Amino acid sequence: MKSKTIIILGLIITTISSILIIKDKYNEYNAGKEAKKILNLIEKINIPTESNNKELDTVNIKGYDYIGTISIPVLEISLPVLDTWDYKRLKIAPCLYYGNSIENMIICAHSYKTHFKDIGKLKQEDYIIFTDIHENEYVYEVEEIEILSSTDVEKMINTNFNLTLYTCTNDAINRITVRCNLVNNLTF
């Protein structure tokens, strides 16, 4: 009787684990699909007025405000960036966590393969391009990569770097953090 209970319990745990894995893969697939749609829409929109303020202008698409796009050529990804973060928005696209395109911009994303899963593979001197909705390009160079605790908000925000990207480690306990600085006169 005891061994039968253990087998049944094992089957239940295996089934629940499988369901959670399938749900995560489904969310990842949908996030990638939705991000591509939004990216195409953002690239087609022409916002004629340019803003001179430090705050980022936005464009509303499907009820969400986007500040632009982020491209990481070496990883072959290009994604839209939402103007603020919450867990619902993270399931769609990377989100502005803090700052702006000129000073200490911090962008977070899920570790979905279609989002920031591979940012830990970046190396010093790799480039990241943020393009605002006015098509102004800001080119950043990777300076360092570090692992921060998920609770180390002060260290995440209080930095002299112009751009920070972060996502969860595979175990979701820590954050892979990519620090970058703005560079000039680069074209791609």
Side-chain angles (χ1 to χ4, degrees), residues 74-135:
V74 73
L75 298 180
E76 298 179 354
I77 62 171
S78 189
L79 297 161
V81 180
L82 286 151
D83 73 327
T84 190
W85 86 276
D86 63 32
Y87 293 109
K88 185 176 178 182
R89 285 176 175 83
L90 280 176
K91 288 185 177 187
I92 300 168
C95 301
L96 180 67
Y97 180 77
Y98 183 85
N100 60 57
S101 62
I102 300 166
E103 298 173 356
N104 195 15
M105 181 164 59
I106 301 173
I107 298 175
C108 59
H110 269 307
S111 59
Y112 296 151
K113 185 175 182 168
T114 55
H115 286 184
F116 281 3
K117 181 174 183 67
D118 291 331
I119 65 170
K121 295 178 182 177
L122 291 170
K123 298 178 182 128
Q124 285 185 329
E125 300 181 3
D126 284 340
Y127 294 107
I128 296 169
I129 305 158
F130 174 77
T131 306
D132 69 19
I133 61 167
H134 300 294
E135 298 182 9

Side-chain angles (χ1 to χ4, degrees), residues 104-170:
N104 195 15
M105 181 164 59
I106 301 173
I107 298 175
C108 59
H110 269 307
S111 59
Y112 296 151
K113 185 175 182 168
T114 55
H115 286 184
F116 281 3
K117 181 174 183 67
D118 291 331
I119 65 170
K121 295 178 182 177
L122 291 170
K123 298 178 182 128
Q124 285 185 329
E125 300 181 3
D126 284 340
Y127 294 107
I128 296 169
I129 305 158
F130 174 77
T131 306
D132 69 19
I133 61 167
H134 300 294
E135 298 182 9
N136 297 310
E137 276 191 356
Y138 300 87
V139 181
Y140 301 89
E141 184 175 55
V142 174
E143 298 285 334
E144 69 179 49
I145 299 172
E146 62 183 333
I147 304 295
L148 295 178
S149 164
S150 62
T151 59
D152 205 348
V153 177
E154 287 300 313
K155 191 167 182 184
M156 180 68 73
I157 292 174
N158 293 328
T159 177
N160 291 324
F161 293 98
N162 300 123
L163 173 68
T164 298
L165 306 180
Y166 78 91
T167 192
C168 295
T169 53
N170 287 337

